[in-house]
Amino acid sequence: MPSRAEQEIDRLLGLHPKGFDLSLGRITRLLDTLGNPHLRLPPVIHVAGTNGKGSTVAFSRALLEAAGYTVHVHTSPHLVRWHERYRIGAPGGGKIVDDDVLADAVKRVADANAGQAITVFEILTAVMFVLFSEHPADAVILEVGLGGRFDATNVIPEPAVSVIMPISLDHQPYLGDRVELIAAEKAGIIKSRCPVVIGAQEEEAVRMVLIETAERRDCPFTVYGQDFLSFEERGRMVYQDNKGLMDLPLPALLGRHQLANAAAAIQAVRIAGFKVPEQAVERAMTSVEWPARMQRLIKGKLVDMAVPGSEIWLDGGHNPGAGLVIAEAVATLEDRNQRPLFLITGMINTKDPVGYFQAFTGMARHVYTVPIRSSGAGIPHDELALAANEAGLSAEPVHSVENALKILAHSWDTSEPAPRILIGGSLYLAGDVLSDNGTPPQ
């Protein structure tokens, strides 16, 4: 039985178009009707990027909460329940919004819209501004939904800091077919004279677009690798900026790329004016959590179906750039403990499956491709298997993650080490897996 909030949102989904229609006119109109709640927020850390923005949000929250601040957090999409998009700050750590509170906010915002043309994402973004304006907190961390310039979150006139994380090709129909064009769209969250943190960028052309935008808007800015950086040394993370060095534990989030994400978050909270002592930074590195980003599944219904002793990882990364950093993280695991690697992959039809799979060429023994239950835009699993073949991988389509785990368990040669299984390719798939496994985000 859907909760009250889910019923309200289901009603909206039946009234308004799904997907994206990038514009700020509708959200601005609605917010004005609501009394402009987005102008009554605590300092905002606004985060955009193709990859890494969710992890940077998670690091930023961990840093601020470790220092005793209360923090509202908005992320999208959700994995299992709509409520996950709204984390309400509270002393001792925030919590996902209560169902009744969310249901009432959704109804109020929908009533204020009065049936006018709008997307559901815009309504739910307005709900976020209402919730965060009505509950006291010290900070807001705001993740961009899609792009930046015309994303519904981009109505904050003076963010405490804008953060631009790694940019690569993704959402080309909306943002452009070259990384420079995508960078220009994401740079749209940069506001005149407001501080900017530019995270690690693979492409020099992207970095230059972001720097030129910051300079044109007279913004103070810092750049990863130039003004701040991080690296691993003797099993520790070293962070460095113009204030000096910090010798820190390695982040709890797996992968070398998480060092750069953590560094961007440290820089962002400092630039935003929050005082976070080194002891709090240390606690944040070990306490940070971010579901479906190289998340190890330890227990649950699906885990019980796997080959006994299997190492099962879940990651929602879904583009070639994400594939590369995930493959690197898996290679690190392999260096520590060798196991045969199997992929269970589902993707939606706006992604580049061949580019994603190419990152695992020479690493994965076999790929099971699956449909995505919770999205009508999934790539058919037989077509996805052909894409894996094109990338040089052995692959076969199966009906579900459960089916893949059963097939693997039934055929496993027990003389081999138990397999390492990576389930990924889509946040929709990750949400289905967490739900089916009985381990949704808390």
Side-chain angles (χ1 to χ4, degrees):
M1 184 69 182
S3 69
R4 276 191 62 211
E6 288 166 337
Q7 291 178 49
E8 290 288 345
I9 295 169
D10 285 343
R11 184 175 66 83
L12 293 175
L13 289 169
L15 294 174
H16 299 288
K18 297 179 182 179
F20 297 93
D21 184 7
L22 298 180
S23 166
L24 295 180
R26 295 177 298 272
I27 183 74
T28 301
R29 167 190 54 76
L30 177 55
L31 290 171
D32 187 59
T33 302
L34 291 164
N36 293 311
H38 62 299
L39 303 181
R40 302 193 303 275
L41 299 179
V44 173
I45 297 173
H46 200 188
V47 185
T50 306
N51 296 307
K53 62 181 185 290
S55 296
T56 302
V57 166
F59 278 117
S60 299
R61 175 173 74 85
L63 287 161
L64 291 171
E65 290 185 345
Y69 295 103
T70 56
V71 189
H72 295 325
V73 183
H74 172 264
T75 56
S76 65
H78 60 280
L79 293 171
V80 179
R81 303 177 72 216
W82 293 97
H83 308 62
E84 298 164 30
R85 297 179 180 225
Y86 313 98
R87 187 177 181 87
I88 305 298
K95 64 175 185 175
I96 293 172
V97 66
D98 292 334
D99 184 70
D100 285 342
V101 174
L102 178 57
D104 289 342
V106 172
K107 187 175 188 311
R108 280 189 286 146
V109 172
D111 288 348
N113 187 62
Q116 297 187 67
I118 201 165
T119 66
V120 172
F121 181 76
E122 289 166 333
I123 288 182
L124 295 180
T125 301
V127 167
M128 175 267 295
F129 287 126
V130 167
L131 287 172
F132 290 179
S133 69
E134 292 179 349
H135 293 79
D138 299 313
V140 169
I141 306 172
L142 188 55
E143 181 185 2
V144 167
L146 175 62
R149 182 165 61 114
F150 290 124
D151 183 75
T153 65
N154 197 31
V155 292
I156 302 298
E158 294 183 356
V161 63
S162 298
V163 187
I164 316 287
M165 295 308 293
I167 292 171
S168 60
L169 289 174
D170 200 10
H171 298 295
Q172 289 96 314
Y174 295 102
L175 304 179
D177 58 1
R178 302 199 319 274
V179 289
E180 300 94 322
L181 297 176
I182 296 173
E185 289 297 318
K186 293 183 185 293
I189 71 165
I190 296 174
K191 301 300 195 307
S192 178
R193 295 185 173 85
C194 294
V196 179
V197 170
I198 298 173
Q201 303 295 334
E202 290 293 326
E203 302 272 358
E204 180 62 22
V206 168
R207 188 180 295 104
M208 291 312 301
V209 167
L210 301 177
I211 290 173
E212 288 167 3
T213 303
E215 289 176 337
R216 189 170 61 251
R217 296 178 184 170
D218 197 22
C219 299
F221 64 91
T222 57
V223 181
Y224 183 86
Q226 174 180 305
D227 305 296
F228 68 98
L229 56 85
S230 61
F231 54 91
E232 183 177 348
E233 185 173 86
R234 294 192 293 273
R236 302 273 292 176
M237 170 181 161
V238 178
Y239 170 84
Q240 182 177 0
D241 63 13
N242 60 7
K243 293 184 178 180
L245 293 170
M246 284 193 287
D247 179 18
L248 303 166
L250 288 176
L253 301 184
L254 184 69
R256 190 177 68 177
H257 62 291
Q258 295 294 4
L259 275 68
N261 294 339
I266 295 169
Q267 182 73 181
V269 297
R270 285 182 162 184
I271 294 292
F274 295 100
K275 297 185 184 303
V276 182
E278 186 167 342
Q279 295 86 346
V281 179
E282 291 179 359
R283 288 195 298 273
M285 293 303 103
T286 57
S287 66
V288 63
E289 296 178 327
W290 192 227
R293 277 73 172 183
M294 286 305 291
Q295 175 185 358
R296 187 168 179 184
L297 301 182
I298 304 296
K299 60 182 180 179
K301 177 184 174 184
L302 294 179
V303 173
D304 292 341
M305 294 178 181
V307 177
S310 294
E311 193 177 283
I312 303 177
W313 297 86
L314 179 67
D315 195 287
H318 48 243
N319 53 50
L324 288 171
V325 296
I326 296 165
E328 184 179 50
V330 172
T332 300
L333 292 172
E334 182 67 9
D335 288 342
R336 299 173 187 169
N337 178 17
Q338 293 187 359
R339 294 173 180 254
L341 175 64
F342 290 79
L343 307 185
I344 303 175
T345 309
M347 300 186 79
I348 62 172
N349 58 21
T350 59
K351 305 305 174 185
D352 173 8
V354 176
Y356 175 86
F357 284 125
Q358 282 174 338
F360 299 95
T361 303
M363 295 178 62
R365 180 181 293 187
H366 192 65
V367 182
Y368 296 100
T369 58
V370 297
I372 299 177
R373 183 176 69 242
S374 59
S375 172
I379 298 174
H381 58 318
D382 53 347
E383 292 182 16
L384 194 56
L386 293 175
N389 293 155
E390 187 178 339
L393 298 174
S394 166
E396 66 178 293
V398 297
H399 295 301
S400 66
V401 171
E402 181 178 326
N403 188 212
L405 292 170
K406 286 181 176 178
I407 292 171
L408 190 57
H410 180 72
S411 61
W412 193 251
D413 180 354
T414 55
S415 66
E416 286 198 276
R420 176 171 291 121
I421 302 168
L422 173 65
I423 307 173
S426 169
L427 287 170
Y428 291 103
L429 178 65
D432 290 345
V433 167
L434 290 173
S435 179
D436 293 347
N437 193 50
T439 53
Q442 299 298 321

